[in-house]
Coordinates of all heavy atoms in Angstrom, one line a residue:
E94 N -34.7 0.7 0.1 CA -35.5 1.9 -0.1 C -34.9 3.0 0.8 O -34.8 4.2 0.4 CB -36.9 1.7 0.1 CG -37.6 0.8 -1.0 CD -39.1 0.6 -0.7 OE1 -39.5 0.9 0.4 OE2 -39.8 0.1 -1.6
K95 N -34.7 2.6 2.1 CA -34.1 3.6 3.0 C -32.8 4.1 2.6 O -32.5 5.3 2.7 CB -34.1 3.0 4.4 CG -35.4 2.7 5.0 CD -35.3 2.0 6.4 CE -36.6 1.6 7.0 NZ -36.5 0.9 8.3
G96 N -31.9 3.2 2.1 CA -30.6 3.6 1.6 C -30.7 4.6 0.4 O -30.0 5.6 0.3
L97 N -31.6 4.3 -0.5 CA -31.8 5.1 -1.7 C -32.3 6.5 -1.3 O -31.9 7.5 -1.8 CB -32.8 4.5 -2.7 CG -32.3 3.3 -3.5 CD1 -33.4 2.6 -4.3 CD2 -31.2 3.8 -4.5
A98 N -33.2 6.5 -0.3 CA -33.8 7.8 0.1 C -32.7 8.7 0.7 O -32.7 9.9 0.5 CB -34.9 7.5 1.2
L99 N -31.8 8.1 1.5 CA -30.7 8.9 2.1 C -29.8 9.4 1.0 O -29.3 10.6 1.1 CB -29.9 8.0 3.1 CG -30.7 7.6 4.4 CD1 -29.8 6.6 5.2 CD2 -31.0 8.9 5.2
I100 N -29.5 8.6 0.0 CA -28.6 9.0 -1.1 C -29.3 10.2 -1.9 O -28.6 11.2 -2.1 CB -28.3 7.8 -2.0 CG1 -27.5 6.8 -1.3 CG2 -27.6 8.3 -3.3 CD1 -27.3 5.5 -2.1
W101 N -30.5 10.0 -2.2 CA -31.3 11.1 -3.0 C -31.3 12.4 -2.2 O -31.1 13.4 -2.7 CB -32.7 10.6 -3.3 CG -32.7 9.6 -4.4 CD1 -31.8 8.7 -4.7 CD2 -33.9 9.3 -5.3 NE1 -32.2 7.9 -5.8 CE2 -33.5 8.3 -6.1 CE3 -35.1 9.9 -5.4 CZ2 -34.4 7.8 -7.1 CZ3 -36.0 9.4 -6.4 CH2 -35.6 8.4 -7.2
E102 N -31.6 12.2 -0.9 CA -31.8 13.4 0.0 C -30.4 14.2 0.0 O -30.4 15.4 0.0 CB -32.2 13.1 1.4 CG -33.7 12.6 1.4 CD -34.1 12.1 2.8 OE1 -33.3 12.1 3.7 OE2 -35.3 11.6 2.9
D103 N -29.3 13.4 0.1 CA -28.0 14.1 0.2 C -27.6 14.7 -1.1 O -27.1 15.9 -1.1 CB -27.0 13.0 0.6 CG -25.6 13.6 0.9 OD1 -25.6 14.7 1.5 OD2 -24.6 13.1 0.4
V104 N -27.9 14.0 -2.2 CA -27.5 14.6 -3.5 C -28.4 15.7 -4.0 O -27.9 16.7 -4.5 CB -27.5 13.4 -4.6 CG1 -27.3 14.0 -6.0 CG2 -26.4 12.4 -4.3
L105 N -29.7 15.6 -3.7 CA -30.6 16.6 -4.2 C -30.8 17.8 -3.2 O -31.3 18.8 -3.5 CB -32.0 16.0 -4.5 CG -32.0 15.0 -5.6 CD1 -33.4 14.3 -5.6 CD2 -31.8 15.7 -6.9
G106 N -30.4 17.5 -1.9 CA -30.5 18.6 -0.9 C -32.0 18.8 -0.5 O -32.4 19.9 -0.1
I107 N -32.8 17.7 -0.5 CA -34.2 17.7 -0.2 C -34.4 16.7 0.9 O -33.9 15.6 0.9 CB -35.1 17.4 -1.4 CG1 -34.8 18.5 -2.5 CG2 -36.5 17.4 -1.0 CD1 -35.5 18.1 -3.8
K108 N -35.3 17.1 1.9 CA -35.6 16.2 3.0 C -36.9 15.4 2.7 O -37.7 15.8 2.0 CB -35.7 16.9 4.3 CG -34.4 17.6 4.7 CD -34.6 18.4 6.0 CE -33.3 19.0 6.5 NZ -33.4 19.8 7.8
N109 N -37.0 14.3 3.4 CA -38.2 13.4 3.4 C -38.7 13.1 2.0 O -39.8 13.4 1.6 CB -39.3 14.2 4.1 CG -39.0 14.4 5.6 OD1 -38.4 13.6 6.2 ND2 -39.4 15.6 6.1
I110 N -37.8 12.5 1.2 CA -38.2 12.0 -0.1 C -38.9 10.7 0.0 O -38.4 9.7 0.7 CB -36.9 11.9 -1.0 CG1 -36.3 13.3 -1.2 CG2 -37.3 11.2 -2.3 CD1 -35.1 13.3 -2.1
G111 N -40.0 10.5 -0.6 CA -40.8 9.3 -0.5 C -40.5 8.4 -1.7 O -39.8 8.8 -2.7
V112 N -41.0 7.1 -1.6 CA -40.6 6.1 -2.6 C -41.3 6.3 -3.9 O -40.9 5.7 -4.9 CB -40.9 4.7 -2.1 CG1 -40.1 4.4 -0.8 CG2 -42.4 4.6 -1.8
T113 N -42.3 7.2 -4.0 CA -43.0 7.5 -5.2 C -42.6 8.8 -5.9 O -43.1 9.1 -7.0 CB -44.6 7.5 -5.0 OG1 -44.9 8.5 -4.1 CG2 -45.1 6.2 -4.5
D114 N -41.7 9.5 -5.2 CA -41.2 10.8 -5.8 C -40.3 10.5 -7.0 O -39.5 9.5 -6.9 CB -40.5 11.6 -4.8 CG -41.4 12.2 -3.8 OD1 -42.5 12.7 -4.2 OD2 -41.0 12.3 -2.6
D115 N -40.5 11.3 -8.0 CA -39.7 11.1 -9.3 C -38.4 11.9 -9.1 O -38.4 13.1 -8.8 CB -40.5 11.6 -10.5 CG -39.8 11.3 -11.8 OD1 -38.7 11.8 -12.0 OD2 -40.4 10.5 -12.6
F116 N -37.3 11.2 -9.4 CA -35.9 11.9 -9.3 C -35.8 13.1 -10.1 O -35.3 14.2 -9.7 CB -34.8 10.9 -9.7 CG -33.4 11.4 -9.6 CD1 -32.8 11.5 -8.4 CD2 -32.8 11.9 -10.8 CE1 -31.5 12.0 -8.3 CE2 -31.5 12.4 -10.7 CZ -30.8 12.4 -9.5
F117 N -36.3 13.1 -11.3 CA -36.2 14.2 -12.2 C -37.2 15.3 -11.9 O -36.9 16.5 -12.1 CB -36.4 13.7 -13.7 CG -35.4 12.7 -14.1 CD1 -35.7 11.3 -14.2 CD2 -34.1 13.0 -14.3 CE1 -34.8 10.4 -14.5 CE2 -33.1 12.1 -14.6 CZ -33.5 10.7 -14.7
E118 N -38.4 14.9 -11.4 CA -39.3 16.0 -10.9 C -38.8 16.7 -9.7 O -39.2 17.9 -9.5 CB -40.7 15.3 -10.6 CG -41.4 14.8 -11.8 CD -42.7 14.1 -11.5 OE1 -43.0 14.0 -10.3 OE2 -43.4 13.6 -12.4
L119 N -37.9 16.1 -9.0 CA -37.3 16.7 -7.8 C -36.2 17.7 -8.1 O -35.5 18.2 -7.3 CB -36.9 15.7 -6.8 CG -38.0 14.8 -6.2 CD1 -37.3 13.7 -5.3 CD2 -38.9 15.7 -5.4
G120 N -35.9 17.8 -9.4 CA -34.8 18.6 -9.9 C -33.5 17.9 -10.3 O -32.5 18.5 -10.5
G121 N -33.6 16.6 -10.3 CA -32.4 15.8 -10.6 C -32.1 15.9 -12.1 O -33.0 16.1 -12.9
H122 N -30.8 15.7 -12.5 CA -30.4 15.8 -13.9 C -29.3 14.8 -14.1 O -28.9 14.1 -13.2 CB -30.0 17.2 -14.3 CG -29.1 17.8 -13.4 ND1 -27.7 17.5 -13.3 CD2 -29.3 18.8 -12.5 CE1 -27.1 18.2 -12.4 NE2 -28.0 19.0 -11.9
S123 N -28.8 14.7 -15.4 CA -27.8 13.7 -15.7 C -26.5 13.8 -14.9 O -25.9 12.7 -14.6 CB -27.5 13.7 -17.2 OG -27.0 15.0 -17.6
L124 N -26.1 15.0 -14.6 CA -24.8 15.1 -13.8 C -25.0 14.5 -12.4 O -24.1 13.9 -11.8 CB -24.4 16.6 -13.7 CG -24.0 17.2 -15.1 CD1 -23.6 18.7 -14.9 CD2 -22.9 16.4 -15.7
L125 N -26.2 14.8 -11.8 CA -26.4 14.3 -10.4 C -26.7 12.8 -10.5 O -26.4 12.1 -9.5 CB -27.6 15.0 -9.8 CG -27.5 16.5 -9.5 CD1 -28.8 17.1 -8.9 CD2 -26.4 16.7 -8.5
L126 N -27.2 12.4 -11.6 CA -27.5 10.9 -11.8 C -26.2 10.1 -11.6 O -26.2 9.0 -11.0 CB -28.1 10.7 -13.2 CG -28.7 9.4 -13.5 CD1 -29.8 9.0 -12.5 CD2 -29.2 9.3 -14.9
G127 N -25.1 10.6 -12.2 CA -23.8 9.9 -12.1 C -23.4 9.7 -10.6 O -22.9 8.7 -10.2
Q128 N -23.6 10.8 -9.8 CA -23.3 10.7 -8.4 C -24.1 9.7 -7.7 O -23.6 8.9 -6.9 CB -23.5 12.1 -7.7 CG -22.6 13.2 -8.2 CD -22.8 14.5 -7.4 OE1 -23.1 14.4 -6.2 NE2 -22.7 15.6 -8.1
V129 N -25.4 9.6 -8.0 CA -26.3 8.7 -7.4 C -25.9 7.2 -7.7 O -25.9 6.4 -6.8 CB -27.8 9.0 -7.8 CG1 -28.7 7.8 -7.2 CG2 -28.2 10.3 -7.2
I130 N -25.7 7.0 -9.0 CA -25.3 5.6 -9.4 C -24.0 5.2 -8.7 O -23.9 4.0 -8.3 CB -25.2 5.6 -10.9 CG1 -26.5 5.7 -11.6 CG2 -24.5 4.3 -11.4 CD1 -26.5 5.8 -13.1
N131 N -23.1 6.1 -8.6 CA -21.8 5.8 -8.0 C -22.0 5.4 -6.5 O -21.4 4.5 -6.0 CB -20.8 7.0 -8.1 CG -19.4 6.6 -7.6 OD1 -18.9 5.6 -7.9 ND2 -18.9 7.5 -6.8
R132 N -22.8 6.2 -5.8 CA -23.1 5.9 -4.4 C -23.9 4.6 -4.2 O -23.7 3.9 -3.2 CB -23.8 7.1 -3.8 CG -23.0 8.4 -3.8 CD -23.7 9.4 -2.9 NE -23.0 10.7 -3.1 CZ -23.2 11.8 -2.3 NH1 -24.0 11.7 -1.2 NH2 -22.6 12.9 -2.5
I133 N -24.8 4.3 -5.1 CA -25.5 3.1 -5.0 C -24.6 1.9 -5.1 O -24.7 0.9 -4.3 CB -26.6 3.0 -6.2 CG1 -27.7 4.0 -5.9 CG2 -27.2 1.6 -6.3 CD1 -28.7 4.1 -7.1
Q134 N -23.6 2.0 -6.0 CA -22.6 0.9 -6.1 C -21.8 0.7 -4.9 O -21.5 -0.4 -4.4 CB -21.8 1.1 -7.3 CG -22.5 1.0 -8.7 CD -21.7 1.5 -9.8 OE1 -20.6 2.1 -9.7 NE2 -22.1 1.1 -11.0
K135 N -21.4 1.9 -4.3 CA -20.5 1.8 -3.1 C -21.2 1.5 -1.8 O -20.7 0.7 -1.0 CB -19.7 3.2 -3.0 CG -18.7 3.4 -4.1 CD -18.0 4.7 -3.8 CE -16.9 4.9 -4.8 NZ -16.1 6.2 -4.6
L136 N -22.4 2.1 -1.6 CA -23.1 2.0 -0.4 C -24.1 0.8 -0.3 O -24.3 0.2 0.7 CB -23.8 3.3 0.0 CG -22.9 4.5 0.1 CD1 -23.7 5.8 0.4 CD2 -21.8 4.3 1.1
L137 N -24.7 0.5 -1.5 CA -25.7 -0.5 -1.5 C -25.3 -1.8 -2.2 O -26.0 -2.8 -2.2 CB -27.0 0.0 -2.1 CG -27.6 1.3 -1.4 CD1 -28.9 1.7 -2.1 CD2 -27.9 1.0 0.1
G138 N -24.1 -1.7 -2.9 CA -23.7 -2.9 -3.6 C -24.5 -3.3 -4.8 O -24.5 -4.5 -5.2
G139 N -25.3 -2.3 -5.3 CA -26.2 -2.6 -6.4 C -25.6 -2.1 -7.7 O -24.9 -1.1 -7.7
S140 N -25.9 -2.7 -8.8 CA -25.4 -2.3 -10.1 C -26.6 -1.7 -10.9 O -27.6 -2.4 -11.3 CB -24.8 -3.5 -10.9 OG -24.4 -3.0 -12.2
V141 N -26.6 -0.4 -11.1 CA -27.7 0.3 -11.8 C -27.1 1.1 -13.0 O -26.1 1.9 -12.8 CB -28.4 1.3 -10.8 CG1 -29.5 2.0 -11.6 CG2 -29.0 0.5 -9.7
G142 N -27.7 1.0 -14.1 CA -27.3 1.8 -15.3 C -28.1 3.0 -15.5 O -29.2 3.1 -14.9
Y143 N -27.7 3.9 -16.4 CA -28.5 5.1 -16.7 C -29.8 4.7 -17.3 O -30.9 5.3 -17.0 CB -27.7 5.9 -17.7 CG -26.6 6.8 -17.1 CD1 -25.4 6.2 -16.8 CD2 -26.8 8.1 -16.8 CE1 -24.4 7.0 -16.2 CE2 -25.8 8.9 -16.2 CZ -24.6 8.3 -15.9 OH -23.6 9.0 -15.3
K144 N -29.9 3.6 -18.1 CA -31.2 3.2 -18.7 C -32.1 2.8 -17.7 O -33.3 3.1 -17.7 CB -30.9 2.1 -19.7 CG -32.2 1.6 -20.5 CD -31.8 0.6 -21.5 CE -33.1 0.1 -22.2 NZ -32.8 -0.9 -23.2
D145 N -31.6 2.0 -16.7 CA -32.5 1.5 -15.6 C -33.0 2.7 -14.8 O -34.2 2.7 -14.4 CB -31.6 0.7 -14.6 CG -31.1 -0.6 -15.2 OD1 -31.9 -1.2 -16.0 OD2 -30.0 -1.0 -14.9
F146 N -32.2 3.8 -14.6 CA -32.6 4.9 -13.9 C -33.7 5.7 -14.6 O -34.7 6.1 -14.0 CB -31.5 5.8 -13.6 CG -31.5 6.5 -12.2 CD1 -30.6 6.2 -11.2 CD2 -32.5 7.4 -12.0 CE1 -30.7 6.8 -10.0 CE2 -32.6 8.1 -10.7 CZ -31.7 7.8 -9.7
F147 N -33.6 5.9 -15.9 CA -34.6 6.6 -16.7 C -35.9 5.8 -16.8 O -37.0 6.4 -16.8 CB -34.1 6.9 -18.1 CG -33.1 8.1 -18.1 CD1 -31.8 8.0 -18.2 CD2 -33.7 9.4 -18.0 CE1 -30.9 9.1 -18.3 CE2 -32.8 10.5 -18.1 CZ -31.5 10.3 -18.2
T148 N -35.8 4.5 -16.7 CA -37.0 3.7 -16.8 C -37.7 3.6 -15.5 O -38.9 3.5 -15.4 CB -36.6 2.2 -17.3 OG1 -35.9 2.3 -18.5 CG2 -37.9 1.4 -17.5
N149 N -36.9 3.7 -14.4 CA -37.4 3.6 -13.0 C -37.0 4.8 -12.2 O -36.1 4.6 -11.3 CB -37.0 2.3 -12.4 CG -37.3 1.0 -13.2 OD1 -38.4 0.5 -13.2 ND2 -36.3 0.6 -14.0
P150 N -37.5 6.0 -12.4 CA -37.0 7.1 -11.7 C -37.5 7.3 -10.3 O -37.3 8.4 -9.7 CB -37.5 8.3 -12.6 CG -38.7 7.8 -13.2 CD -38.6 6.3 -13.4
T151 N -38.2 6.3 -9.7 CA -38.6 6.5 -8.4 C -37.8 5.5 -7.5 O -37.3 4.5 -8.0 CB -40.1 6.1 -8.2 OG1 -40.3 4.8 -8.6 CG2 -40.9 7.0 -9.1

Side-chain angles (χ1 to χ4, degrees):
E94 288 180 349
K95 292 177 181 178
L97 284 172
L99 291 174
I100 293 172
W101 285 27
E102 289 172 2
D103 187 42
V104 172
L105 295 172
I107 300 173
K108 296 181 180 179
N109 299 322
I110 295 179
V112 298
T113 60
D114 286 323
D115 188 297
F116 179 79
F117 302 104
E118 290 177 2
L119 295 175
H122 50 74
S123 58
L124 295 179
L125 293 178
L126 190 58
Q128 294 184 36
V129 172
I130 290 176
N131 186 47
R132 296 192 189 192
I133 289 174
Q134 293 173 344
K135 289 184 177 181
L136 301 179
L137 301 181
S140 179
V141 179
Y143 281 80
K144 184 178 180 181
D145 295 326
F146 215 113
F147 280 103
T148 308
N149 306 276
T151 65

